[in-house]
């Protein structure tokens, strides 16, 4: 019985943490990182300030939790790369999903806020950097596989190409969110064509 109670308590704790993180992200998007105090976040989450501090000691801890949530999302991206037999098809499929999932106005606004804070406070960058490195390595591995089939030019540096591919996707996602939502499909298709041309040199 104690194990069941403990499991229920753990689930309740996870749910409360998620509730607080969701509120924090909404505040960061609406008000900006520095304008969102811990008291503001607690109010948005519907918890007391003391309860908030029981879960997160400061906003840096909240950002670390957002990085952990991003890591879980990136695991889904890695699954796309692993499940598709053809390497270039896998990368193209991931690109479609990645751009779609990162091109919402809210998502871009949150990314801008967090990126600005990471630049000011490099100590909180490690979680996001680890997520990106993990994805870059997975894309690089698929590019190496494509090289063995002569689908990618041998001169291509797989890791640098993987970084470039992510840069393109993120730039397209930003453009779609800010400037070009009606032509999202065209933007993604153009990016895919550009990447393929670059890989073949």
């Amino acid at each position: 019985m104690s194990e069941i109670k403990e499991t229920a308590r753990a689930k309740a704790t996870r749910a409360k943490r998620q509730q607080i993180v969701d509120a924090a992200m909404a505040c960061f998007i609406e008000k900006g990182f520095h304008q969102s105090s811990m008291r503001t976040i607690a109010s948005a989450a519907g918890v007391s300030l003391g309860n908030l501090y029981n879960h997160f000691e400061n906003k840096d801890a909240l950002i670390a939790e957002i990085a952990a949530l991003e890591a879980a999302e990136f695991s889904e991206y890695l699954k796309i790369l692993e499940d598709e037999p053809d390497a270039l098809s896998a990368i193209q499929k991931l690109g479609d999903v990645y751009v779609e999932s990162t091109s919402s106005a809210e998502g871009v606004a949150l990314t801008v806020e967090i990126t600005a804070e990471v630049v000011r406070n490099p100590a909180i960058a490690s979680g996001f950097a680890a997520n990106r490195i993990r994805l870059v390595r997975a894309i690089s591995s698929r590019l190496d596989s494509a090289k063995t089939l002569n689908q990618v030019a041998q001169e291509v540096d797989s890791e640098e190409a993987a970084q470039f591919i992510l840069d393109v996707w993120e730039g397209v996602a930003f453009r779609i969110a800010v400037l070009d939502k009606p032509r999202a499909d065209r933007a993604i298709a153009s990016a895919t064509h550009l990447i393929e041309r670059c890989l073949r040199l």
Side-chain angles (χ1 to χ4, degrees):
M1 181 64 73
S2 61
E3 290 182 2
I4 295 174
K5 287 182 179 179
E6 184 62 33
T7 299
R9 188 179 301 119
K11 287 181 178 178
T13 297
R14 282 196 298 273
K16 182 64 67 176
R17 286 175 66 88
Q18 185 63 55
Q19 178 182 334
I20 292 168
V21 171
D22 288 344
M25 290 191 290
C27 288
F28 296 160
I29 291 168
E30 180 183 356
K31 303 174 185 299
F33 182 82
H34 285 284
Q35 286 69 42
S36 300
S37 67
M38 293 292 274
R39 187 176 298 279
T40 299
I41 294 168
S43 177
V47 301
S48 69
L49 187 59
N51 194 335
L52 172 58
Y53 278 115
N54 284 337
H55 292 279
F56 299 100
E57 61 180 346
N58 50 39
K59 286 190 285 185
D60 287 1
L62 279 163
I63 288 185
E65 186 74 5
I66 293 171
L69 293 173
E70 182 187 74
E73 184 177 4
F74 275 33
S75 293
E76 295 300 314
Y77 297 151
L78 297 182
K79 192 172 185 304
I80 292 172
L81 287 173
E82 293 165 0
D83 288 349
E84 181 66 42
D86 180 75
L88 292 186
S89 295
I91 293 170
Q92 180 179 342
K93 184 175 180 180
L94 173 59
D96 293 343
V97 173
Y98 189 89
V99 172
E100 182 178 356
S101 64
T102 56
S103 61
S104 69
E106 295 81 6
V108 168
L110 181 61
T111 298
V112 168
E113 286 297 326
I114 291 176
T115 300
E117 188 57 26
V118 163
V119 171
R120 298 186 194 101
N121 182 5
I124 65 175
S126 59
F128 297 101
N131 293 341
R132 186 181 176 90
I133 289 170
R134 186 178 168 210
L135 187 54
V136 164
R137 287 177 176 168
I139 295 171
S140 177
S141 177
R142 292 313 313 259
L143 290 174
D144 285 338
S145 299
K147 281 185 183 182
T148 65
L149 299 174
N150 293 318
Q151 294 176 318
V152 171
Q154 299 302 313
E155 298 87 347
V156 169
D157 182 314
S158 296
E159 185 168 338
E160 285 299 320
Q163 294 276 15
F164 168 75
I165 288 168
L166 274 181
D167 289 343
V168 171
W169 290 344
E170 288 163 359
V172 170
F174 185 88
R175 176 158 63 92
I176 289 171
V178 176
L179 301 172
D180 211 13
K181 196 73 172 178
R183 297 197 298 174
D185 291 343
R186 179 178 176 183
I188 294 170
S190 296
T192 299
H193 178 68
L194 171 64
I195 288 168
E196 289 179 352
R197 289 289 299 274
C198 290
L199 292 175
R200 293 193 174 101
L201 293 179

